[in-house]
Amino acid sequence: TSITSAKIQVNGVHLHYQQTGEGSHAVLLLPGMLGSGQTDFGPQLKSMNKQLFTIVAWDPRGYGESIPPSRDFPPDFFERDAKDAVDLMQALKFKKFSLLGWSDGGITALIAAAKYPTLIHKLVVWGANASVTQEDVRIYNGIRDVSKWSEKVKKPLEEMYGHEYFAKTCEAWVDGISHFAEESDGSICQQLLPDIKCPTLIIHGEKDPLVPRAHAEYIHKHIKGSRLLLMPEGKHNLHLRFAEDFNRQVEDFL
């Protein structure tokens, strides 16, 4: 089945999304920092079961082709993305849907599942965290300067954004997410986790250099009945590197 691209107006912004498949089970893919459907979910859009699922990958406001507006990071940027994501799916006439969230998209998905429980069927998150520690801030500052990124990771983002927007937005993201560490418990959405009632699968790559395992364990512990799957060789982008295995595990869960 082909992949269609379109834009739809949601909350005053023209959000870009890609859609494929004709299954009765709708699934929204939520990308990470600076991510888009195109850069973050190629193997999922291409290979997930299109008879069972209708797959939508979105570009959050200020990312991918959902520019303008330029991306910014007010204190509630995750809540804003969660509302945009849910409202996008409703605008596309999906009554109930599952969320697959990677990294920042995983945090967005946790908030959406907690705040809109009647709309979310199932939840899969990986590379996500519900709080920011001083150790996390140190890790984030290590990726602040995009000129130090590997060519492989950097290239598609530079092609999409141009160097200046890419570099500036990454710095703004580091500042934006580091603000959470100033809260007493560093919480982004810890208090919302017990409100998540849908079946939840948390996947963690044991070699993830950006998100320590303790984050995945915390989320697992605070979402009742959730499952934690550890991938021993997985890094942060385990769904790209081990796409076949990842897709199979996710489809079985869904």
Side-chain angles (χ1 to χ4, degrees):
T1 337
S2 63
I3 299 171
T4 57
S5 284
K7 282 189 171 189
I8 188 166
Q9 187 161 356
V10 177
N11 300 328
V13 184
H14 288 92
L15 293 175
H16 177 261
Y17 65 96
Q18 291 168 286
Q19 185 173 327
T20 185
E22 61 245 320
S24 58
H25 187 156
V27 177
L28 177 65
L29 308 176
L30 298 95
M33 179 260 282
L34 278 161
S36 63
Q38 182 192 330
T39 54
D40 287 14
F41 294 116
Q44 285 68 47
L45 285 164
K46 184 168 164 237
S47 304
M48 275 181 75
N49 187 319
K50 297 183 183 186
Q51 277 66 56
L52 292 179
F53 304 107
T54 295
I55 300 142
V56 178
W58 80 309
D59 299 359
R61 62 170 73 200
Y63 285 162
E65 292 180 42
S66 296
I67 302 172
S70 292
R71 181 70 183 188
D72 62 349
F73 300 95
D76 66 344
F77 74 91
F78 283 116
E79 279 83 3
R80 182 181 66 181
D81 283 349
K83 184 170 176 13
D84 281 349
V86 166
D87 291 351
L88 166 74
M89 291 300 276
Q90 295 211 285
L92 296 175
K93 304 285 187 275
F94 295 111
K95 289 188 174 59
K96 203 163 178 173
F97 46 91
S98 294
L99 300 174
L100 266 65
W102 176 39
S103 197
D104 268 20
I107 300 171
T108 302
L110 291 168
I111 293 169
K115 288 194 161 181
Y116 309 95
T118 57
L119 302 176
I120 310 305
H121 183 44
K122 291 186 177 182
L123 173 65
V124 182
V125 296
W126 65 106
N129 45 303
S131 65
V132 177
T133 65
Q134 289 306 324
E135 166 67 3
D136 295 326
V137 172
R138 196 186 61 73
I139 293 171
Y140 301 149
N141 277 307
I143 63 163
R144 178 188 286 275
D145 180 357
V146 297
S147 68
K148 298 192 176 120
W149 288 26
S150 79
E151 207 46 50
K152 192 173 161 217
V153 178
K154 192 165 62 176
K155 195 168 177 243
L157 293 169
E158 285 201 322
E159 281 171 5
M160 173 166 278
Y161 295 114
H163 179 75
E164 191 189 351
Y165 187 91
F166 168 45
K168 196 177 74 191
T169 305
C170 181
E171 284 187 21
W173 175 83
V174 172
D175 293 338
I177 199 161
S178 298
H179 278 309
F180 291 103
E182 293 160 18
E183 304 296 314
S184 57
D185 51 359
S187 176
I188 301 173
C189 62
Q190 287 178 326
Q191 71 292 352
L192 291 175
L193 299 180
D195 296 341
I196 296 175
K197 302 288 187 256
C198 63
T200 301
L201 173 64
I202 300 133
I203 305 176
H204 184 70
E206 300 226 58
K207 294 185 175 174
D208 189 332
L210 289 175
V211 180
R213 176 171 164 174
H215 283 302
E217 288 172 345
Y218 183 94
I219 295 169
H220 172 47
K221 188 176 160 197
H222 290 88
I223 299 179
K224 207 173 169 204
S226 63
R227 282 174 43 195
L228 176 61
L229 170 68
L230 297 172
M231 292 179 73
E233 293 303 310
K235 292 187 181 175
H236 197 57
N237 64 344
L238 54 87
H239 65 297
L240 300 175
R241 175 85 197 284
F242 301 105
E244 210 172 302
D245 186 21
F246 174 87
N247 289 359
R248 190 180 65 246
Q249 298 276 5
V250 167
E251 287 180 2
D252 287 351
F253 172 74
L254 293 174

